[in-house]
Coordinates of all heavy atoms in Angstrom, one line a residue:
M351 N 0.8 -1.2 0.0 CA 0.0 0.0 0.0 C 0.9 1.2 0.0 O 1.9 1.3 0.7 CB -0.9 0.0 1.2 CG -1.9 1.1 1.3 SD -3.1 1.0 2.6 CE -4.3 0.0 1.7
R352 N 0.5 2.2 -0.7 CA 1.3 3.5 -0.8 C 1.2 4.3 0.5 O 0.2 4.2 1.2 CB 0.7 4.3 -1.9 CG 1.0 3.7 -3.3 CD 0.8 4.7 -4.4 NE 1.1 4.1 -5.7 CZ 2.3 4.2 -6.3 NH1 3.3 4.8 -5.7 NH2 2.5 3.6 -7.4
T353 N 2.2 5.0 0.8 CA 2.2 5.9 2.0 C 2.0 7.3 1.6 O 2.5 7.7 0.5 CB 3.5 5.7 2.8 OG1 4.6 6.0 1.9 CG2 3.7 4.3 3.3
V354 N 1.4 8.1 2.4 CA 1.1 9.5 2.1 C 1.5 10.4 3.3 O 1.3 10.1 4.5 CB -0.4 9.6 1.9 CG1 -0.8 11.1 1.6 CG2 -0.9 8.7 0.8
L355 N 2.2 11.5 3.0 CA 2.5 12.5 3.9 C 1.6 13.7 3.6 O 1.7 14.2 2.5 CB 3.9 12.9 3.9 CG 4.4 14.1 4.8 CD1 4.1 13.7 6.2 CD2 5.8 14.4 4.5
V356 N 0.8 14.1 4.5 CA -0.2 15.3 4.3 C 0.4 16.4 5.1 O 0.5 16.4 6.3 CB -1.6 14.9 4.7 CG1 -2.5 16.1 4.4 CG2 -2.1 13.6 4.0
C357 N 0.7 17.5 4.4 CA 1.2 18.7 5.1 C 0.1 19.8 5.2 O -0.4 20.2 4.2 CB 2.3 19.3 4.2 SG 3.5 18.0 3.7
V358 N -0.3 20.1 6.4 CA -1.4 21.0 6.7 C -0.9 22.1 7.6 O 0.2 22.1 8.1 CB -2.6 20.2 7.4 CG1 -3.2 19.2 6.4 CG2 -2.1 19.5 8.7
R359 N -1.8 23.1 7.7 CA -1.4 24.4 8.5 C -1.5 24.3 10.0 O -0.8 25.0 10.7 CB -2.2 25.5 8.0 CG -1.9 26.0 6.6 CD -2.6 27.3 6.3 NE -4.0 26.9 5.9 CZ -4.9 27.7 5.6 NH1 -4.7 29.0 5.7 NH2 -6.1 27.3 5.2
T360 N -2.4 23.5 10.5 CA -2.7 23.5 11.9 C -2.6 22.1 12.5 O -2.9 21.1 11.9 CB -4.1 24.1 12.2 OG1 -5.1 23.2 11.7 CG2 -4.2 25.5 11.6
P361 N -2.2 22.1 13.8 CA -2.3 20.8 14.5 C -3.7 20.2 14.6 O -3.8 19.0 14.5 CB -1.8 21.2 15.9 CG -1.0 22.4 15.7 CD -1.6 23.2 14.6
L362 N -4.7 21.0 14.6 CA -6.1 20.5 14.6 C -6.4 19.8 13.3 O -7.0 18.7 13.3 CB -7.1 21.7 14.9 CG -8.5 21.2 15.0 CD1 -8.7 20.3 16.1 CD2 -9.4 22.5 15.2
A363 N -6.0 20.4 12.2 CA -6.2 19.7 10.9 C -5.4 18.4 10.9 O -6.0 17.4 10.4 CB -5.8 20.6 9.8
A364 N -4.2 18.4 11.4 CA -3.4 17.1 11.4 C -4.1 16.1 12.3 O -4.2 14.9 11.9 CB -2.0 17.4 11.9
Q365 N -4.7 16.5 13.4 CA -5.4 15.6 14.3 C -6.6 15.0 13.6 O -6.8 13.8 13.7 CB -5.8 16.3 15.6 CG -6.5 15.5 16.6 CD -6.8 16.2 17.8 OE1 -6.8 17.5 17.9 NE2 -7.2 15.5 18.9
H366 N -7.3 15.8 12.9 CA -8.5 15.3 12.2 C -8.1 14.3 11.1 O -8.8 13.3 11.0 CB -9.3 16.5 11.6 CG -10.1 17.3 12.6 ND1 -11.1 16.8 13.4 CD2 -10.0 18.6 12.9 CE1 -11.6 17.7 14.1 NE2 -10.9 18.8 13.9
L367 N -7.1 14.6 10.4 CA -6.6 13.7 9.4 C -6.2 12.3 10.0 O -6.5 11.3 9.5 CB -5.5 14.3 8.6 CG -5.9 15.3 7.5 CD1 -4.7 16.1 7.0 CD2 -6.6 14.6 6.4
T368 N -5.4 12.4 11.1 CA -5.0 11.2 11.8 C -6.1 10.4 12.3 O -6.1 9.2 12.1 CB -4.0 11.6 12.9 OG1 -2.9 12.4 12.4 CG2 -3.5 10.4 13.6
S369 N -7.1 11.1 12.8 CA -8.3 10.4 13.3 C -9.1 9.7 12.2 O -9.5 8.5 12.3 CB -9.2 11.3 14.1 OG -8.6 11.8 15.2
A370 N -9.2 10.4 11.1 CA -10.0 9.8 9.9 C -9.2 8.6 9.4 O -9.8 7.6 9.1 CB -10.1 10.9 8.9
A371 N -7.9 8.7 9.3 CA -7.1 7.6 8.8 C -7.2 6.4 9.7 O -7.4 5.3 9.3 CB -5.6 8.0 8.7
A372 N -7.3 6.6 11.1 CA -7.4 5.5 12.0 C -8.8 4.9 11.9 O -8.9 3.6 11.9 CB -7.3 6.1 13.4
R373 N -9.8 5.7 11.7 CA -11.2 5.1 11.5 C -11.2 4.2 10.2 O -12.0 3.2 10.2 CB -12.2 6.2 11.4 CG -12.6 6.8 12.7 CD -13.9 7.7 12.6 NE -13.8 8.7 11.6 CZ -13.3 9.9 11.7 NH1 -12.7 10.2 12.9 NH2 -13.2 10.8 10.8
L374 N -10.5 4.6 9.2 CA -10.5 3.8 8.0 C -9.4 2.7 8.0 O -9.3 2.0 7.0 CB -10.2 4.8 6.8 CG -11.3 5.8 6.6 CD1 -10.8 6.9 5.5 CD2 -12.5 5.2 6.1
G375 N -8.7 2.6 9.1 CA -7.7 1.5 9.1 C -6.4 1.8 8.3 O -5.7 1.0 7.9
L376 N -6.2 3.1 8.2 CA -5.0 3.6 7.4 C -3.9 4.3 8.2 O -3.1 5.0 7.6 CB -5.5 4.5 6.2 CG -6.5 3.9 5.3 CD1 -7.0 4.9 4.3 CD2 -5.8 2.7 4.5
S377 N -3.9 4.1 9.5 CA -3.0 4.7 10.3 C -1.5 4.5 9.9 O -0.7 5.4 10.0 CB -3.1 4.3 11.8 OG -4.4 4.7 12.3
A378 N -1.2 3.3 9.4 CA 0.1 3.0 9.1 C 0.6 3.7 7.8 O 1.8 3.7 7.5 CB 0.3 1.5 8.9
V379 N -0.3 4.2 7.0 CA 0.1 4.7 5.7 C -0.1 6.2 5.6 O 0.4 6.8 4.6 CB -0.7 4.0 4.5 CG1 -0.3 2.6 4.5 CG2 -2.2 4.2 4.6
V380 N -0.8 6.9 6.5 CA -1.0 8.3 6.5 C -0.3 9.0 7.6 O -0.5 8.6 8.8 CB -2.5 8.6 6.5 CG1 -2.8 10.1 6.6 CG2 -3.3 8.0 5.4
R381 N 0.6 9.9 7.3 CA 1.3 10.7 8.3 C 1.0 12.2 8.0 O 0.6 12.5 6.9 CB 2.8 10.5 8.2 CG 3.1 9.0 8.7 CD 4.6 8.8 8.6 NE 5.1 9.0 7.3 CZ 6.3 9.4 7.0 NH1 7.2 9.7 7.9 NH2 6.7 9.6 5.7
T382 N 1.2 13.0 9.0 CA 0.9 14.5 8.9 C 2.1 15.3 9.3 O 2.9 14.8 10.1 CB -0.3 14.9 9.6 OG1 -0.1 14.6 11.0 CG2 -1.6 14.2 9.2
A383 N 2.2 16.5 8.8 CA 3.2 17.5 9.3 C 2.5 18.8 9.2 O 1.7 19.1 8.4 CB 4.4 17.4 8.4
V384 N 3.0 19.7 10.1 CA 2.3 21.1 10.2 C 3.3 22.2 10.0 O 2.9 23.4 10.1 CB 1.6 21.3 11.6 CG1 0.4 20.3 11.7 CG2 2.5 21.2 12.7
S385 N 4.5 21.9 9.6 CA 5.5 23.0 9.3 C 6.5 22.5 8.4 O 6.7 21.3 8.2 CB 6.1 23.5 10.6 OG 7.0 22.5 11.2
D386 N 7.2 23.4 7.7 CA 8.3 23.0 6.8 C 9.3 22.1 7.5 O 9.7 21.1 7.0 CB 8.9 24.3 6.2 CG 9.8 23.9 5.0 OD1 10.8 23.2 5.2 OD2 9.5 24.3 3.9
P387 N 9.8 22.5 8.7 CA 10.8 21.7 9.3 C 10.3 20.3 9.7 O 11.0 19.3 9.6 CB 11.2 22.5 10.6 CG 10.8 23.9 10.3 CD 9.7 23.8 9.4
E388 N 9.0 20.2 10.1 CA 8.4 18.9 10.4 C 8.3 18.1 9.2 O 8.5 16.9 9.2 CB 7.1 19.1 11.1 CG 6.5 17.8 11.6 CD 5.2 17.9 12.3 OE1 4.7 19.0 12.4 OE2 4.7 16.9 12.8
V389 N 8.0 18.7 8.0 CA 7.9 17.9 6.8 C 9.2 17.3 6.5 O 9.3 16.1 6.2 CB 7.5 18.9 5.6 CG1 7.6 18.2 4.2 CG2 6.0 19.4 5.8
M390 N 10.3 18.1 6.6 CA 11.7 17.6 6.3 C 12.0 16.4 7.3 O 12.7 15.5 6.9 CB 12.7 18.7 6.3 CG 12.4 19.8 5.3 SD 12.2 19.1 3.6 CE 11.0 20.2 2.9
L391 N 11.6 16.6 8.5 CA 11.9 15.5 9.5 C 11.1 14.2 9.1 O 11.7 13.1 9.2 CB 11.4 16.0 10.9 CG 11.6 15.0 12.0 CD1 13.1 14.7 12.3 CD2 11.0 15.6 13.3
R392 N 9.9 14.4 8.8 CA 9.1 13.2 8.4 C 9.7 12.5 7.2 O 9.7 11.3 7.1 CB 7.6 13.6 8.1 CG 6.9 14.1 9.3 CD 6.4 13.0 10.2 NE 5.7 13.6 11.3 CZ 6.2 13.7 12.6 NH1 7.4 13.3 12.8 NH2 5.5 14.3 13.5
L393 N 10.2 13.3 6.2 CA 10.8 12.7 5.0 C 12.0 12.0 5.4 O 12.3 11.0 4.7 CB 11.1 13.8 4.0 CG 9.8 14.5 3.4 CD1 10.3 15.7 2.5 CD2 9.0 13.5 2.5
A394 N 12.8 12.5 6.3 CA 14.0 11.8 6.8 C 13.7 10.5 7.5 O 14.4 9.5 7.4 CB 14.8 12.7 7.7
E395 N 12.6 10.4 8.2 CA 12.2 9.2 8.9 C 11.8 8.1 8.0 O 12.2 7.0 8.2 CB 11.0 9.5 9.8 CG 11.2 10.5 11.0 CD 10.0 10.9 11.7 OE1 8.8 10.6 11.3 OE2 10.1 11.5 12.8
R396 N 10.9 8.4 7.1 CA 10.5 7.4 6.1 C 9.9 8.1 4.9 O 9.0 9.0 5.0 CB 9.4 6.6 6.7 CG 8.9 5.4 5.8 CD 7.9 4.6 6.5 NE 6.6 5.3 6.6 CZ 5.7 5.1 7.4 NH1 5.8 4.1 8.4 NH2 4.5 5.7 7.4
Q397 N 10.4 7.8 3.7 CA 10.0 8.5 2.5 C 8.6 8.0 2.1 O 8.3 6.8 2.0 CB 11.0 8.2 1.4 CG 12.3 8.9 1.6 CD 13.2 8.9 0.4 OE1 12.8 8.4 -0.6 NE2 14.4 9.3 0.6
P398 N 7.7 8.9 1.8 CA 6.3 8.6 1.4 C 6.3 8.4 -0.1 O 7.2 8.8 -0.8 CB 5.5 9.8 1.8 CG 6.5 10.9 1.6 CD 7.8 10.4 2.1
D399 N 5.2 7.8 -0.6 CA 5.0 7.6 -2.0 C 4.4 8.9 -2.6 O 4.6 9.3 -3.7 CB 4.1 6.5 -2.3 CG 4.8 5.1 -1.9 OD1 5.9 4.9 -2.4 OD2 4.2 4.4 -1.1
V400 N 3.6 9.6 -1.7 CA 2.8 10.7 -2.2 C 2.9 11.8 -1.1 O 2.8 11.5 0.1 CB 1.3 10.4 -2.4 CG1 0.5 11.7 -2.8 CG2 1.2 9.3 -3.5
V401 N 3.1 13.1 -1.5 CA 3.1 14.2 -0.6 C 2.0 15.2 -1.0 O 2.0 15.6 -2.1 CB 4.5 14.9 -0.6 CG1 4.5 16.1 0.4 CG2 5.6 14.0 -0.2
L402 N 1.1 15.4 -0.1 CA 0.1 16.4 -0.3 C 0.3 17.6 0.6 O 0.5 17.4 1.8 CB -1.3 15.8 0.0 CG -1.7 14.6 -0.8 CD1 -3.0 14.0 -0.3 CD2 -1.9 14.9 -2.3
A403 N 0.3 18.8 0.0 CA 0.6 20.0 0.8 C -0.4 21.1 0.6 O -0.7 21.4 -0.5 CB 2.0 20.5 0.5
D404 N -0.8 21.7 1.7 CA -1.6 22.9 1.7 C -0.7 24.0 1.2 O 0.4 24.2 1.7 CB -2.1 23.2 3.1 CG -3.0 24.4 3.2 OD1 -2.8 25.3 2.4 OD2 -3.9 24.4 4.1
T405 N -1.1 24.7 0.2 CA -0.2 25.7 -0.4 C 0.1 26.8 0.6 O 1.2 27.4 0.4 CB -0.8 26.3 -1.7 OG1 -2.1 26.8 -1.4 CG2 -0.9 25.2 -2.8
A406 N -0.7 27.0 1.5 CA -0.4 28.1 2.6 C 0.8 27.7 3.4 O 1.6 28.5 3.8 CB -1.6 28.3 3.5
L407 N 1.0 26.4 3.5 CA 2.2 25.9 4.3 C 3.5 26.1 3.5 O 4.6 26.2 4.0 CB 2.0 24.4 4.6 CG 3.1 23.8 5.4 CD1 3.1 24.3 6.9 CD2 3.0 22.3 5.4
T408 N 3.4 26.0 2.2 CA 4.6 26.1 1.3 C 5.0 27.5 1.0 O 6.1 27.7 0.4 CB 4.3 25.4 0.0 OG1 3.3 26.1 -0.8 CG2 3.9 24.0 0.2
R409 N 4.2 28.5 1.3 CA 4.5 29.9 1.0 C 5.7 30.4 1.9 O 5.9 29.9 3.0 CB 3.3 30.8 1.3 CG 2.3 30.6 0.3 CD 1.1 31.6 0.5 NE 0.0 31.3 -0.3 CZ -1.2 31.2 0.1 NH1 -1.6 31.4 1.3 NH2 -2.2 30.8 -0.8
P410 N 6.5 31.3 1.4 CA 6.3 32.1 0.2 C 7.1 31.5 -1.0 O 7.0 32.1 -2.1 CB 7.0 33.5 0.6 CG 8.1 33.1 1.5 CD 7.5 31.9 2.3
D411 N 7.7 30.3 -0.8 CA 8.4 29.7 -1.9 C 8.0 28.3 -2.2 O 8.6 27.4 -1.8 CB 9.9 29.8 -1.5 CG 10.8 29.3 -2.6 OD1 10.4 29.2 -3.8 OD2 12.0 29.0 -2.4
S412 N 6.8 28.2 -2.8 CA 6.2 26.9 -3.1 C 7.1 26.0 -4.0 O 7.3 24.8 -3.8 CB 4.9 27.1 -3.8 OG 4.0 27.7 -2.9
A413 N 7.8 26.7 -5.0 CA 8.7 25.9 -5.9 C 9.9 25.4 -5.1 O 10.3 24.3 -5.2 CB 9.1 26.8 -7.0
G414 N 10.4 26.2 -4.2 CA 11.5 25.8 -3.3 C 11.1 24.6 -2.4 O 11.9 23.7 -2.2
F415 N 9.9 24.7 -1.9 CA 9.3 23.6 -1.0 C 9.3 22.3 -1.8 O 9.8 21.3 -1.3 CB 7.9 24.0 -0.5 CG 7.3 22.9 0.3 CD1 7.5 22.8 1.6 CD2 6.4 22.0 -0.3 CE1 6.9 21.7 2.4 CE2 5.8 21.0 0.4 CZ 6.1 20.9 1.8
V416 N 8.8 22.4 -3.0 CA 8.8 21.1 -3.9 C 10.2 20.6 -4.1 O 10.4 19.4 -4.1 CB 8.0 21.4 -5.2 CG1 8.1 20.2 -6.1 CG2 6.5 21.7 -4.9
R417 N 11.1 21.5 -4.4 CA 12.5 21.1 -4.7 C 13.1 20.4 -3.4 O 13.7 19.4 -3.6 CB 13.4 22.3 -5.1 CG 13.2 22.7 -6.5 CD 14.3 23.7 -7.0 NE 14.1 25.0 -6.3 CZ 13.4 26.0 -6.8 NH1 12.6 25.8 -7.8 NH2 13.3 27.1 -6.1
R418 N 12.8 21.0 -2.3 CA 13.4 20.4 -1.0 C 12.7 19.0 -0.8 O 13.4 18.1 -0.4 CB 13.2 21.3 0.2 CG 14.0 22.6 0.1 CD 14.0 23.3 1.4 NE 12.6 23.7 1.9 CZ 11.9 24.8 1.4 NH1 12.5 25.5 0.4 NH2 10.7 25.1 1.8
V419 N 11.4 18.9 -1.0 CA 10.8 17.6 -0.8 C 11.4 16.6 -1.7 O 11.7 15.5 -1.3 CB 9.2 17.8 -1.0 CG1 8.6 16.4 -1.1 CG2 8.6 18.5 0.2
L420 N 11.5 16.9 -3.0 CA 12.0 16.0 -4.0 C 13.5 15.6 -3.8 O 13.9 14.5 -4.1 CB 11.8 16.5 -5.4 CG 10.3 16.5 -5.9 CD1 10.2 17.1 -7.2 CD2 9.7 15.1 -5.8
A421 N 14.2 16.6 -3.2 CA 15.6 16.3 -2.9 C 15.7 15.2 -1.8 O 16.6 14.4 -1.8 CB 16.3 17.5 -2.4
R422 N 14.7 15.2 -0.8 CA 14.7 14.2 0.3 C 13.9 13.0 -0.1 O 14.2 11.9 0.5 CB 14.2 14.9 1.5 CG 15.1 15.9 2.1 CD 14.6 16.4 3.4 NE 15.5 17.4 3.9 CZ 16.2 17.4 5.0 NH1 16.1 16.4 5.8 NH2 16.9 18.4 5.3
A423 N 13.0 13.1 -1.0 CA 12.2 11.9 -1.3 C 12.0 11.9 -2.9 O 10.9 12.2 -3.4 CB 10.8 12.0 -0.6
P424 N 13.0 11.6 -3.6 CA 13.0 11.7 -5.1 C 11.9 10.8 -5.7 O 11.5 11.1 -6.9 CB 14.4 11.3 -5.5 CG 15.0 10.7 -4.3 CD 14.3 11.1 -3.1
Q425 N 11.5 9.8 -5.1 CA 10.5 8.9 -5.7 C 9.1 9.3 -5.4 O 8.1 8.8 -6.0 CB 10.7 7.4 -5.2 CG 12.0 6.9 -5.5 CD 12.4 6.8 -7.0 OE1 11.5 6.5 -7.8 NE2 13.6 7.2 -7.3
A426 N 8.9 10.4 -4.6 CA 7.6 10.8 -4.3 C 6.9 11.6 -5.5 O 7.6 12.1 -6.3 CB 7.6 11.8 -3.1

């Protein structure tokens, strides 16, 4: 099964995603991060297959964020 890292703006949003994943039995494949440094930490822990990011989290340099993610998880 593919793994997903979801990058959101708030801890509450991350909590809701984690709870929804648990209800669906997907806790092992869905992880969350709420800041750029946390995203990079999660990528170092285990590379996901898919990275979904709230564009507000990637500002002011969305292209730079994508470059950093792909540098740490080139297969994502």
Side-chain angles (χ1 to χ4, degrees):
M351 183 171 276
R352 295 195 177 266
T353 57
V354 179
L355 176 61
V356 184
C357 312
V358 294
R359 287 186 281 177
T360 67
L362 182 60
Q365 182 181 13
H366 286 299
L367 284 166
T368 302
S369 296
R373 282 193 306 274
L374 295 170
L376 299 172
S377 295
V379 298
V380 176
R381 294 179 301 147
T382 60
V384 296
S385 66
D386 190 300
E388 187 178 2
V389 170
M390 299 308 145
L391 178 65
R392 298 279 182 257
L393 292 172
E395 292 172 351
R396 185 176 73 203
Q397 292 190 6
D399 296 305
V400 177
V401 177
L402 301 173
D404 182 330
T405 56
L407 182 73
T408 67
R409 287 184 190 133
D411 184 14
S412 296
F415 176 84
V416 172
R417 281 192 292 274
R418 289 190 305 280
V419 166
L420 289 176
R422 291 188 185 237
Q425 300 301 317

